[in-house]
Amino acid sequence: MGIIARLATAVAVLAGHAVAVPIGTNAQFCEEDTGVCYSEVTVGVAPITWRIAIPSVEQGPFDVLLQVVAPKTVGWAGLAWGGGMLYNPITLGWANGNNTVGAARFATAHIQPEIYDPAAHTVLKGSTANETHWTLTTLCQGCSTWIHNGGAKETLDPGATAASFAYAASAVPPIDPTDPLTPIGIHSEHGIFTLDLASAKSEQFDSWVSQLKVV
């Protein structure tokens, strides 16, 4: 099977609605060195930890702090903000040497997802990779709202105590780990989870972002 066919197959599987459902247990995690506090959940075979922090707002759109912690055996990991792989932003992350990369995609069909310009990812302090794990800490601007199929505008509810997200991951890195625009291959695990966004809110969000921005 050629590379284009493999990529199409990967997205077809990712975009399907029949996914595994490893709902993890929500918790709050606060970094000792930065003081940033996230709502977190750990799911999957790998497993992968997903952490989210948002500003103290009553409605969207809003910026999001996302932190992904994965074993080095994870080649790439992706989070779909609308709870499914079609018609909502997908944040991708992977290791690149001692650093990590964040990228945005958007799928409208069972094909390789398109580059998604409305969402911008800024890689922040704490994004590292070592012999055992990689960590991506990123500010996503444009991940909390999107246009769904048919033109309807969707927005994350910052007061949701069980917001639904979908994820996928692969043991195989992207074709060119140095390039945020690189295609990805087929996943080795996928599923959905819920996260407490209400507990992810903080009045300190803006100061946290300023603190984490790489000078």
Side-chain angles (χ1 to χ4, degrees):
M1 182 182 293
I3 189 169
I4 299 301
R6 290 200 303 271
L7 292 173
T9 300
V11 178
V13 176
L14 286 175
H17 294 291
V19 295
V21 189
I23 304 297
T25 301
N26 278 230
Q28 187 177 62
F29 172 82
C30 297
E31 292 184 321
E32 290 185 7
D33 55 340
T34 66
V36 178
C37 292
Y38 302 87
S39 281
E40 74 164 17
V41 63
T42 300
V43 294
V45 176
I48 301 170
T49 297
W50 305 91
R51 297 172 179 152
I52 291 177
I54 63 175
S56 184
V57 295
E58 298 304 315
Q59 60 183 13
F62 47 86
D63 295 345
V64 181
L65 277 173
L66 171 68
Q67 187 173 78
V68 187
V69 182
K72 200 64 178 290
T73 52
V74 175
W76 62 262
L79 175 72
W81 293 90
M85 303 311 292
L86 293 181
Y87 292 102
N88 65 123
I90 302 169
T91 294
L92 298 178
W94 59 81
N96 175 36
N98 295 326
N99 302 307
T100 49
V101 175
R105 299 290 190 274
F106 196 96
T108 58
H110 296 181
I111 57 175
Q112 179 76 4
E114 299 175 356
I115 306 303
Y116 185 58
D117 291 332
H121 288 85
T122 303
V123 177
L124 304 172
K125 292 178 182 177
S127 298
T128 60
N130 58 32
E131 294 81 5
T132 62
H133 288 76
W134 57 264
T135 299
L136 171 66
T137 304
T138 182
L139 174 70
C140 184
Q141 297 169 293
C143 285
S144 69
T145 188
W146 58 90
I147 303 300
H148 201 271
N149 189 21
K153 184 177 181 179
E154 301 283 345
T155 305
L156 287 178
D157 177 5
T161 57
S164 181
F165 299 91
Y167 80 94
S170 172
V172 180
I175 292 173
D176 181 3
T178 67
D179 184 5
L181 308 183
T182 186
I184 57 172
I186 194 167
H187 69 279
S188 54
E189 63 170 296
H190 60 132
I192 61 173
F193 62 84
T194 60
L195 195 74
D196 187 348
L197 288 183
S199 295
K201 294 197 288 186
S202 176
E203 298 281 358
Q204 302 180 66
F205 182 86
D206 289 340
S207 63
W208 288 343
V209 171
S210 297
Q211 177 187 178
L212 293 172
K213 284 188 174 178
V214 178
V215 178

